[in-house]
């Protein structure tokens, strides 16, 4: 069965041969060529029509072309050029070969033929022909439309003279290369329009025009309009660039600036980013806003240096009325476009004189306001304007701006949430860290804390804790993690350390109790890192200015660095100890003698661990910076941070504590061995008064005599021998200590009206600023501290209160 075609079927000889070699179709043209009617050949082997034995070499190919001898009906052999296409099986039909050959068109079309003339002039792509001097000879209607001038007006001009501009000259140089080499050049992109956003884009190909002998007579130029595909690729590239460039940090202002930078100059000539201020109560911003709207300028960018179009500078707050594009866009919750042509910018421009002058001066003609929204919240508005590019914003521009702004909005919201959490954590951290370090007779101290530049506030902390006997404790610790949870965990551990320090535990014993606490908190949280302390390190040291000895222990924390007077910085070798929270492993203390004026540097690992350098190099820099100590601990702190931390901030939070030891001279300490005889308490009191007179502390004699009497009497009655009394004083405090070999600690009790005793410790508590008990290897020590100012009047008032 033959097919029916809408054209003259006899103009082409056509046959279809099944894969098994059987003829299945035979058209009128095939009958005209070989004389065989369809009914004589259809259904028979196609090989019967071959004049010679054999078949064409078609195995393994999908197309074959060549000349072959075929049998005519009258018996002669006809030499025919054939083109054969193999068509695979489909939709249940077997595969076959389509074989064709033309029967007309052997003669070329004459110059007078209308088709020949229309071939150039009516082609849809722009075509032009230039002579050997690169002057225009012919161009078709499409090229005339591109040029904007008829052929007869520009014939004889060169390409650069017709188009103008630097890019035209570059294209003409390529045409000259084609003319000189005789080889074609292709895929040149030629643009015309406003800067980075051209109005029209063409793909240009050039080829030499040759005569019959192959001599180059000129150059033909073909241009294809690819504006739509170019802009599609440009939008895709801009979206990809926005994904890469926007949101590189968790800083709101920088993210807003990145959004403005991406949009200029590809999408707009001038861009402003205005954001809503955070809510005063710290709540989330609203989903919708009402006019008038108060917005703070976060960023702007322009194609002009210095952003001269800006009326409001970054950081400034401005109120936008309901008829402004900003307020209109935010209240409507969608993009609003305005233009001078539509006359919908007049009221907004006239409202502000400076803005009106700016709009007229720069020729701003189009504006697009895009609300910045993320997670159902309204964060601000991006306003894009054009003045250098003459084209107004199109619907595609709106879609592109909305897509870029939506991606940026998520980054801005992430940065906003991070900033809010960081500020909260910083406030919590500041409230938990000491605002100032106590002044003590044992040492002078200075400290620094720096949150991480990117990760935020962590769990690093430090403290200086005055202890009894003029001693002082120094502690530096680091909780794993960052954020509010790390700060809260740090606060719990710092409070625990202070509580344990108040009962005068040895450093190794204190760390053991702290380790138990971390384990218990982790167990209570059920392994949830958001509610429990999952790990921490700590260094705890106690310095005694009387003996000038320091006892230290650490739990997985970097050891301190010592700078002895006249020496070089040296890392103190301490037993490492496991980090807090592992449980079951012991901690060890080490005791060192520190000459007066020794500087200790206690720090967290954020100071020496960084991406730029290895820890050994950082520790060497720490030693060098500490070695340049000249007497100021604050200056040394700053020098150390400057030497070790990068200019853009530390990758982890850093705590640094520097302490310079001071010693108490033997002349400020007095010691007595007390006999176990209550009758000898009076002579002891007398000796104490004499010592106070020698120290020039006569005004404190009355109170001190009462305290010593009560403490010594209690030790004789309830303690065990040997008993020792020690007085220590500095400029502000006098400390009384009574030690005995009993481990039983005394306690306050409420005496009844007619009880003869039970008021001793109550009297001590009333007369002193603080008192307590500490356990020592030989037993215990009861201590009391008296402030050395107006002691006599305070003691008399306290005594009168007790008598009353």
């Amino acid at each position: 069965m033959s097919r029916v075609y809408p054209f003259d079927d006899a103009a082409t000889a056509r046959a279809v041969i099944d894969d098994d070699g059987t003829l299945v179709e035979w058209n009128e043209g095939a009958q005209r060529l070989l004389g065989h009617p369809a009914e004589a050949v259809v259904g028979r082997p196609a090989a019967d029509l071959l004049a010679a034995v054999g078949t064409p070499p078609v195995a393994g190919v999908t197309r074959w072309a060549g000349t072959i001898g075929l049998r005519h009906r009258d018996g002669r052999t006809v030499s025919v050029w054939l083109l054969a296409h193999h068509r695979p099986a489909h939709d249940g039909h077997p595969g076959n070969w389509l074989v064709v050959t033309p029967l007309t068109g052997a003669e070329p079309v004459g110059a007078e033929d209308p088709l020949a003339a229309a071939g150039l002039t009516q082609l849809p792509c722009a075509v032009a022909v230039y002579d050997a001097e690169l002057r225009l000879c012919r161009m078709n209607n499409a090229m005339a439309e591109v040029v904007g001038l008829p052929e007869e007006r520009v014939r004889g001009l060169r390409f650069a003279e017709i188009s103008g501009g630097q890019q035209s000259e570059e294209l003409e140089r390529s045409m000259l290369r084609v003319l000189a080499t005789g080889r074609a050049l292709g895929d040149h992109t030629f643009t015309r329009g406003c800067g980075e956003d051209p109005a029209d884009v063409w793909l240009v190909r050039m080829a030499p025009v040759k005569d019959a002998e192959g001599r180059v007579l000129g150059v033909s130029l073909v241009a294809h309009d690819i504006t739509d595909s170019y802009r599609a690729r440009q939008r895709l590239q801009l979206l990809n660039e926005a994904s890469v460039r926007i949101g590189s940090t968790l800083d709101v202002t920088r993210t807003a600036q990145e959004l403005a930078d991406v949009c200029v100059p590809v999408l707009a000539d001038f861009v402003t980013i205005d954001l809503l201020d955070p809510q005063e109560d710290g709540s989330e911003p609203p989903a919708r806003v009402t006019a008038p709207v108060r917005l703070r300028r976060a960023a702007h960018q322009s194609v002009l240096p210095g952003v001269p179009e800006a009326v409001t500078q970054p950081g400034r707050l401005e109120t936008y009325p309901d008829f402004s594009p900003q307020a209109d866009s935010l209240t409507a919750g969608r993009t609003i476009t305005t233009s001078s042509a539509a006359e919908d910018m007049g009221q907004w421009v006239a409202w502000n004189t400076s803005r009106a002058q700016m709009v007229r001066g720069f020729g701003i003609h189009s504006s697009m306001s895009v609300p910045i929204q993320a997670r159902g919240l309204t964060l601000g508005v991006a306003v894009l304007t054009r003045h250098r590019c003459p084209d107004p914003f199109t619907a595609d521009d709106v879609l592109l701006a909305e897509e870029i702004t939506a991606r940026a909005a998520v980054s801005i919201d992430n940065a906003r949430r991070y900033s809010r959490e960081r500020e909260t954590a910083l406030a919590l951290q500041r409230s938990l860290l000491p605002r100032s370090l106590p002044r003590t007779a044992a040492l002078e101290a200075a400290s620094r804390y720096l949150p991480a530049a990117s990760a935020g506030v962590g769990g690093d902390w430090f403290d200086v804790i005055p202890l009894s006997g003029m001693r002082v404790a120094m502690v530096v610790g680091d909780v794993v993690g960052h954020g509010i949870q790390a700060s809260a965990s740090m606060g719990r551990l710092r409070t625990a350390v202070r509580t344990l320090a108040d009962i005068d535990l040895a450093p190794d014993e204190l760390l053991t109790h702290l380790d138990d606490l971390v384990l218990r908190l982790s167990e209570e949280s059920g392994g949830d890192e958001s509610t429990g302390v999952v790990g921490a390190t700590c260094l705890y040291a106690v310095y005694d200015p009387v003996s000038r000895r320091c006892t230290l222990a650490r739990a997985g924390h970097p050891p301190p660095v010592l700078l002895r007077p006249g020496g070089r910085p040296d890392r103190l070798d301490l037993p490492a100890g496991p980090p807090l929270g592992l449980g079951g492993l012991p901690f060890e203390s080490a005791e060192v003698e520190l000459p007066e004026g020794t500087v200790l540097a206690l720090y967290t690992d954020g100071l020496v661990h960084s991406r730029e350098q290895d820890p050994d190099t950082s520790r060497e820099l720490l030693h060098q910076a500490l070695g340049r100590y000249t007497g100021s601990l604050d200056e040394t702190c700053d020098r150390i941070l400057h030497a070790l931390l990068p200019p853009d901030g530390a990758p982890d939070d850093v705590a640094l504590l520097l302490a310079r030891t001071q010693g108490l001279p033997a002349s400020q300490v007095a010691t007595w061995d007390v006999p176990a005889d209550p009758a000898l308490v009076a002579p002891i009191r007398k000796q104490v008064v004499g010592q106070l007179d020698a120290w020039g502390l006569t005004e404190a004699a009355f109170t001190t005599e009462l305290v010593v009497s009560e403490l010594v009497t209690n030790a004789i009655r309830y303690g065990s021998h040997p008993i020792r009394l020690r007085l220590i004083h500095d400029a502000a405090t006098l400390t009384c200590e009574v030690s005995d070999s009993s481990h039983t600690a005394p306690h306050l009790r409420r005496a009844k009206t007619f009880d003869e005793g039970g008021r001793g410790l109550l009297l001590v508590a009333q007369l002193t600023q603080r008192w307590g008990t500490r356990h020592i290897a030989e037993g215990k020590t009861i201590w009391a501290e008296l402030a050395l100012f107006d002691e006599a009047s305070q003691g008399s008032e306290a005594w009168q209160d007790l008598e009353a």
Side-chain angles (χ1 to χ4, degrees), residues 681-700:
V681 173
I684 293 295
R685 291 202 306 266
K686 186 176 181 180
Q687 295 178 39
V688 166
V689 172
Q691 183 63 60
L692 293 177
D693 290 340
W695 284 341
L697 303 177
T698 305
E699 291 183 355

Side-chain angles (χ1 to χ4, degrees), residues 441 470 664 668 697 729-734 787-789:
M470 300 291 179
L664 281 177
Q668 292 181 226
L697 303 177
H729 85 90
D730 62 1
T733 306
L734 174 66
L788 294 178
F789 55 90

Side-chain angles (χ1 to χ4, degrees), residues 608-629:
V608 294
H609 289 177
S610 69
R611 295 182 295 268
E612 288 76 15
Q613 56 200 14
D614 60 271
D616 291 336
T617 302
S618 297
R619 281 190 282 267
E620 180 61 29
L621 291 175
L622 171 60
H623 289 190
Q624 293 175 7
L626 184 61
R628 294 197 295 271
Y629 168 75

Side-chain angles (χ1 to χ4, degrees), residues 355-413:
R355 183 170 286 105
Q357 294 175 349
M358 181 268 293
V359 170
R360 288 193 296 268
F362 292 99
I364 292 177
H365 58 83
S366 298
S367 173
M368 174 167 52
S369 302
V370 186
I372 302 175
Q373 298 172 323
R375 302 181 177 95
L377 304 175
T378 299
L379 307 177
V381 62
V383 180
L384 295 79
T385 56
R386 284 180 176 175
H387 54 78
R388 174 179 288 183
C389 179
D391 301 323
F393 289 109
T394 65
D396 288 339
D397 293 330
V398 172
L399 291 176
L400 181 59
E402 288 176 344
E403 178 65 24
I404 294 174
T405 304
R407 298 189 182 193
V410 175
S411 298
I412 291 175
D413 189 47

Side-chain angles (χ1 to χ4, degrees), residues 88 302 767:
S302 170
L767 295 176

Side-chain angles (χ1 to χ4, degrees), residues 182-370:
R183 292 194 297 269
L185 291 177
D187 295 348
H188 282 255
T189 302
F190 180 75
T191 62
R192 184 185 67 187
C194 51
E196 299 292 335
D197 189 19
D200 301 291
V201 184
W202 292 278
L203 185 65
V204 179
R205 292 185 172 93
M206 291 164 279
V209 178
K210 300 179 181 180
D211 60 11
E213 286 76 26
R215 291 174 297 184
V216 178
L217 303 179
V219 178
S220 65
L221 184 148
V222 181
H224 300 274
D225 189 351
I226 59 168
T227 303
D228 291 340
S229 60
Y230 174 85
R231 289 182 173 176
R233 290 196 303 270
Q234 191 180 44
R235 291 187 181 95
L236 186 61
Q237 180 180 356
L238 185 59
L239 286 176
N240 181 65
E241 184 180 359
S243 299
V244 174
R245 292 176 56 185
I246 299 176
S248 61
T249 67
L250 287 172
D251 181 83
V252 173
T253 302
R254 184 167 178 180
T255 303
Q257 187 63 54
E258 290 168 347
L259 170 59
D261 293 344
V262 164
C263 294
V264 174
V266 178
L267 194 55
D269 298 324
F270 173 50
V271 174
T272 63
I273 310 297
D274 297 309
L275 300 179
L276 293 166
D277 271 348
Q279 301 293 306
E280 293 183 359
D281 58 359
S283 60
E284 295 286 357
R288 291 290 179 92
V289 297
T290 57
V293 184
R294 289 177 60 82
L295 297 171
R296 189 175 300 277
R297 176 64 50 84
H300 55 214
Q301 187 55 278
S302 170
V303 293
L304 303 177
V307 197
E309 308 98 322
V311 176
T312 302
Q313 296 303 313
R316 296 289 300 274
L317 194 65
E318 185 170 353
T319 301
Y320 294 90
D322 55 357
F323 51 81
S324 65
Q326 291 87 343
D328 196 9
S329 174
L330 289 175
T331 54
R334 58 181 176 83
T335 301
I336 300 295
T337 57
T338 58
S339 66
S340 57
E343 299 181 355
D344 49 8
M345 298 176 61
Q347 185 179 7
W348 163 237
V349 171
W351 183 70
N352 186 294
T353 304
S354 299
R355 183 170 286 105
Q357 294 175 349
M358 181 268 293
V359 170
R360 288 193 296 268
F362 292 99
I364 292 177
H365 58 83
S366 298
S367 173
M368 174 167 52
S369 302
V370 186

Side-chain angles (χ1 to χ4, degrees), residues 476-546:
V476 172
D478 184 1
V479 174
V480 174
H482 294 88
I484 295 178
Q485 179 56 40
S487 297
S489 299
M490 175 273 291
R492 301 172 82 174
L493 292 187
R494 178 172 178 257
T495 302
V497 170
R498 277 191 160 268
T499 302
L500 295 172
D502 281 344
I503 59 177
D504 264 315
L505 293 179
D508 56 340
E509 198 173 342
L510 181 142
L511 292 181
T512 300
H513 284 278
L514 201 60
D515 184 50
D516 293 339
L517 173 63
V518 172
L519 276 174
R520 187 164 61 254
L521 293 176
S522 298
E523 290 173 359
E524 291 175 357
S525 68
D528 184 1
E529 297 183 8
S530 64
T531 57
V533 182
V534 296
T537 64
C538 185
L539 170 64
Y540 185 77
V542 176
Y543 173 68
D544 187 344
V546 177

Side-chain angles (χ1 to χ4, degrees), residues 16 26 106 125 130 213 371 396 441 480-481 530 546 600 647 660 703 723 737 771 800:
V16 177
W26 187 264
C125 58
Y130 292 82
E213 286 76 26
D396 288 339
V480 174
S530 64
V546 177
L600 294 90
R660 181 176 56 237
T703 305
I723 301 173
E737 295 182 345
W771 73 281
Q800 292 170 5

